Amino acid sequence: AVGECGLDYYYGHSPQAEQEAVLRFQIELALEHGLPLSFHVRDASSAEQEHDAFHDFWRIFDSYRGIRGVLHSFTDNQANMERAVERGLYIGVNGIATFTKDEAQLVTYRTIPQHSLLLETDAPFLTPKPFRGTICEPKHVVQTAEFLAGLRGENLEQLAAVTASNAKE
């Protein structure tokens, strides 16, 4: 895969135009080689930016055909989750789900279609409860899976099988 790539407006460390140019290069590289992409899209920490990251991301994404991939570490809103699913992207959920206090985010995690759901760790960051404060490792994906199965009212084994199949895809 190509990635982690995308648009990160959170800290404003690099100009949006440069981020767009690099993202376009990475998309074209992935398409040229038939590879999926792992997208990182994060909005600004304040309203100082001209556009939000997803506004720009969808404009760029929709200017290409045949993109495959995942929205990694997804914490955005229901509308952007639905846009991603409509475009055939997977939604990556990690330890954030286990400790978020944002009810809207939990609703979004509940409604991601199983065929679009991926489990991830973002190791060494975003360690799920009850291991917060330690280095995240791949083994911690189990806690995220258990949490999501309970949140979604789904069988853990089935959720694990579906997400493993999605990852292989």
Side-chain angles (χ1 to χ4, degrees), residues 6-10 16 19-20 23 40-46 49-61 71 76 80:
L7 303 173
D8 191 324
Y9 295 171
Y10 191 77
Q16 292 176 13
Q19 290 189 49
E20 178 172 340
L23 175 58
H40 170 101
V41 184
R42 185 161 69 159
D43 282 327
S45 60
S46 68
Q49 302 291 332
E50 184 178 338
H51 294 112
D52 72 38
F54 268 102
H55 174 269
D56 291 346
F57 176 76
W58 293 126
R59 175 181 49 78
I60 295 163
F61 185 96
L71 282 179
D76 209 75
N80 279 320

Side-chain angles (χ1 to χ4, degrees), residues 80-132:
N80 279 320
M81 181 273 290
E82 291 170 359
R83 287 181 187 107
V85 170
E86 288 168 4
R87 288 163 173 85
L89 290 174
Y90 290 99
I91 307 296
V93 179
N94 56 37
I96 290 172
T98 69
F99 58 81
T100 185
K101 305 261 190 269
D102 184 341
E103 185 58 37
Q105 207 170 54
L106 292 171
V107 169
T108 298
Y109 292 144
R110 257 187 229 111
T111 59
I112 297 169
Q114 264 195 0
H115 70 272
S116 300
L117 180 62
L118 289 179
L119 300 175
E120 58 183 23
T121 62
D122 199 37
F125 308 108
L126 305 175
T127 310
K129 285 173 49 177
F131 300 104
R132 298 271 301 140

